[in-house]
Amino acid sequence: MTLWTMFLKMSEGFGKTCAIFFLTLLFSLPLGMVVVLLRRSKNKIISAFTRFIISILRGTPLMLQLLAVTYGPYYITKSLGIAAIPVARNKLVPVVIAFAINYAAYFAEIYRGGIDSMPVGQYEAAEVLGYTKAQTFFKIILPQVIKRVLPSVTNEIVTLVKDTSLAFTVSYQEMFTIGKQIANSETSFVPFIVAGAFYFVFNAIVDFAMGKAEKALDYYQ
């Protein structure tokens, strides 16, 4: 197989890699905000339960979570002796669910750090000006938090680009899975080098875009 043919085959899987990446961000970024609000809830039961879930998601491998979401429902229902839930034909759905939940936990902790770093005086000043708690959070606190946490969020997004390769564990035909299949059939390491080049360029684009976003928010300093 020529290098060009190999590149074209892996390019087909790159579209699925991008789908995992963008759909994960689409769901995990706002979900992380919901999680952090639950994490900071004054209701101790809700707060404790949220911390417990976050600790599980951060303390277990993403690969294991992928397997659990993809195959877990089938094995659980089968072991209970009821009609087994079939494994999803479109593996993109469980893959995105697993990725979104996992990354939401990490984003939630990043958001929490940003929110906790805000001076108490800003809340007090907003209260004096007649702002409600919701107005204070969304109009005053959140814009500053976004600026503060953006470098940490960027690190997680860069990690996400590389983590998309874990979809091979559930046989989803993204770029790395195709590269691995070509490597096995051709008995060659070249497909892995090509995959590495794809990830490097993808990360370079992501890093450039996030750098632009950071500069755009410089007026908060």
Side-chain angles (χ1 to χ4, degrees), residues 100-151:
I101 293 174
N102 178 272
Y103 271 83
Y106 284 93
F107 286 138
E109 288 301 287
I110 292 173
Y111 296 156
R112 185 175 66 85
I115 294 171
D116 289 347
S117 69
M118 298 303 298
V120 177
Q122 296 208 22
Y123 293 93
E124 295 172 344
E127 186 178 359
V128 170
L129 291 173
Y131 281 81
T132 65
K133 289 184 178 180
Q135 289 174 328
T136 300
F137 181 77
F138 288 106
K139 292 185 177 181
I140 298 176
I141 303 301
L142 186 58
Q144 298 179 74
V145 168
I146 291 174
K147 167 60 182 175
R148 292 190 179 198
V149 304
L150 201 55

Side-chain angles (χ1 to χ4, degrees), residues 57 181 195:
L57 292 172
Q181 291 171 349

